[in-house]
Amino acid sequence: MRKLILIISALIIAGCAKSLIQFSSKKVENIHPMFGKNSERNFYYNFISSDSLKLIWTADAFGSFNNSSVVANDSLIFIADLAGRIHVFNLENGKQRGVLKTKGAIFSTPLLYRLRIYYPLVKDGKKLTEFIVYDYFAGKDLYIIEIEDLITNQMLSDDEAIYLFAEDGTIYKYDYEAKLLWSIETNQNNHFVPAMKKDKIFFGNDAGEFIVVDSKQGGIIHREKITSGFFSGASIDNNLCYLGDDEGNLYAIDIDTYNIKFKIKTDGRILMNPAVDEKNIYFGNMKRMFYCIDKNDGKIVWSKKMKGYFNSTPVVTKYHLFVPNLFKSLLIVDKSNGELLKEVELDNRAKLSPVIINNKIIIGYDEGVIAAYEFIN
């Protein structure tokens, strides 16, 4: 029987103690609205970056992060923490512009749509998630939807809806006014970051199945067991979906035929979404190895053993990789040959996938620190 879903519609809580974000302008551009910028999970920035960074500000969120990222409009950045708070900082100077305080934990990156924040709040000690829609221009919650499930994965969105992914494999589709359009149970645990293109959702699950779901109707289009387990994430470029498995294999799968175009074997677990540019795929594993793979034929361009373990997706610019690692640093790498150019030391383990906005790179590390660096010549 389908899980009970309680919808509390049009919940207006003006002046509620937790609703402490308010923005005065209706003219905003959501330039980085979700994890990976868009539903294909794009970590490539097509511009010429410097390999030199200058720290311009740090801000404290006072809570730990999951492996996620900030999201941003043209003047504010938003970050969720594991203490159930969403913090908002000014992009230019790092000053805090507000915070939503809730009881629970937020494991995924918030999603921005127009002047709203969408986020799943997992309630402490319960198999229960509140899907919350907050209007930060009006300064109030619009909807709180109770879902009897644990929503800990990254969300997706398209022109008509937002998609939520539960740990037990259930997928929920809600429109932007928080109306449930469909839900589907896949009956396998899922800790994989999905991607979407051509009205299809692509993901792997804990059992090693590769699954394709029709985003319009919610039916399973394709289901195939190809490995022992997936705990990473998908990135889609052109007609190929790239994803890594728990055995250290990277797959390129055609999004129309679902055939495996190539498989590259490494020796360590892959826990990140691959990053893809015009020519290559970039990813690291938990054996301290980092790879550059030709995205068309699967040939290894270079591989390097580097400092740190890699489970957060790097960002790619025209000539550089910016790679967070668990050895308390951000590595700046020449993407043509894997040469380490510089290392930015941090006070703790890097946790967030970097985001580049207005010539700034935003990173985050343990103990709730957000840092903004400016590219300098």
Side-chain angles (χ1 to χ4, degrees):
M1 185 174 179
R2 196 173 71 186
K3 299 175 183 62
L4 177 64
I5 301 171
L6 303 176
I7 301 182
I8 307 172
S9 62
L11 182 61
I12 309 299
I13 317 177
C16 176
K18 78 167 190 174
S19 301
L20 300 174
I21 298 174
Q22 194 163 7
F23 188 56
S24 60
S25 175
K26 286 187 177 180
K27 296 180 179 180
V28 299
E29 179 186 2
N30 290 322
I31 55 181
H32 202 291
M34 71 181 78
F35 179 75
K37 282 192 294 189
N38 57 38
S39 287
E40 296 177 27
R41 308 299 188 192
N42 180 7
F43 300 90
Y44 176 51
Y45 297 82
N46 187 17
F47 82 105
I48 298 174
S49 64
S50 166
D51 64 0
S52 297
L53 300 177
K54 177 184 177 182
L55 179 65
I56 55 174
W57 57 259
T58 61
D60 203 331
F62 303 104
S64 297
F65 302 131
N66 201 15
N67 291 322
S68 57
S69 75
V70 303
V71 289
N73 60 32
D74 49 11
S75 62
L76 302 175
I77 63 170
F78 304 75
I79 182 64
D81 67 25
L82 296 178
R85 295 171 296 219
I86 292 182
H87 303 263
V88 183
F89 300 101
N90 184 284
L91 175 61
E92 295 303 317
N93 56 29
K95 291 184 178 179
Q96 191 166 62
R97 293 291 300 271
V99 60
L100 297 182
K101 297 180 180 180
T102 51
K103 293 183 178 180
I106 305 169
F107 293 90
S108 60
T109 303
L111 191 146
L112 302 181
Y113 176 75
R114 296 180 177 171
L115 294 166
R116 296 178 179 181
I117 310 167
Y118 295 76
Y119 63 99
L121 174 74
V122 176
K123 302 301 288 183
D124 291 337
K126 301 178 181 178
K127 189 179 179 182
L128 181 69
T129 298
E130 291 181 348
F131 179 42
I132 300 174
V133 183
Y134 179 82
D135 184 322
Y136 63 88
F137 178 76
K140 62 187 179 185
D141 291 318
L142 297 181
Y143 308 98
I144 299 177
I145 310 300
E146 289 192 350
I147 304 172
E148 290 189 344
D149 228 329
L150 299 177
I151 310 295
T152 59
N153 211 331
Q154 301 294 347
M155 295 177 283
L156 288 171
S157 71
D158 57 20
D159 291 338
E160 64 182 26
I162 293 175
Y163 303 83
L164 288 81
F165 301 85
E167 284 190 356
D168 69 357
T170 306
I171 306 172
Y172 301 88
K173 179 179 180 178
Y174 286 91
D175 71 13
Y176 285 100
E177 300 306 318
K179 177 183 177 182
L180 180 67
L181 302 179
W182 55 253
S183 68
I184 181 173
E185 297 183 21
T186 63
N187 300 310
Q188 281 289 352
N189 289 343
N190 176 26
H191 295 86
F192 183 92
V193 177
M196 180 167 60
K197 190 173 183 178
K198 294 184 177 180
D199 299 328
K200 300 174 186 178
I201 300 169
F202 301 86
F203 65 98
N205 62 27
D206 295 11
E209 295 177 313
F210 176 68
I211 298 179
V212 185
V213 170
D214 179 352
S215 67
K216 294 294 185 181
Q217 303 299 324
I220 295 177
I221 302 170
H222 178 80
R223 185 170 198 159
E224 179 183 4
K225 182 173 175 63
I226 59 176
T227 188
S228 61
F230 287 107
F231 294 89
S232 60
S235 299
I236 299 172
D237 179 77
N238 294 324
N239 220 46
L240 291 176
C241 177
Y242 301 99
L243 64 163
D245 71 11
D246 215 39
E247 299 175 9
N249 299 304
L250 181 87
Y251 299 84
I253 300 178
D254 189 288
I255 65 173
D256 292 324
T257 66
Y258 318 126
N259 293 329
I260 297 174
K261 183 175 182 180
F262 61 78
K263 180 174 79 170
I264 302 298
K265 183 172 179 57
T266 77
D267 293 324
R269 300 178 68 199
I270 301 172
L271 298 178
M272 65 169 65
N273 294 63
V276 188
D277 65 10
E278 301 105 322
K279 296 181 178 180
N280 299 314
I281 314 157
Y282 308 89
F283 66 96
N285 66 23
M286 296 302 286
K287 286 288 185 71
R288 300 173 56 186
M289 291 296 296
F290 205 92
Y291 293 85
C292 172
I293 307 292
D294 187 296
K295 72 179 185 181
N296 294 311
D297 60 21
K299 292 182 180 178
I300 297 176
V301 179
W302 55 258
S303 62
K304 298 278 186 178
K305 191 166 189 175
M306 296 184 183
K307 175 182 177 181
Y309 299 98
F310 306 108
N311 62 356
S312 296
T313 303
V315 293
V316 188
T317 62
K318 198 71 175 177
Y319 301 115
H320 301 119
L321 302 171
F322 296 86
V323 185
N325 73 72
L326 293 178
F327 278 15
K328 302 182 180 181
S329 65
L330 177 74
L331 307 180
I332 304 175
V333 176
D334 183 334
K335 75 176 189 179
S336 68
N337 57 20
E339 177 186 354
L340 177 62
L341 300 174
K342 291 181 181 176
E343 181 177 359
V344 179
E345 293 187 359
L346 308 174
D347 292 332
N348 219 314
R349 300 180 304 166
K351 295 297 288 290
L352 301 184
S353 178
V355 168
I356 297 176
I357 311 165
N358 298 345
N359 202 47
K360 300 174 183 64
I361 185 166
I362 314 297
I363 66 171
Y365 49 93
D366 266 349
E367 298 186 356
V369 177
I370 300 291
Y373 292 82
E374 192 169 45
F375 293 100
I376 58 175
N377 295 323

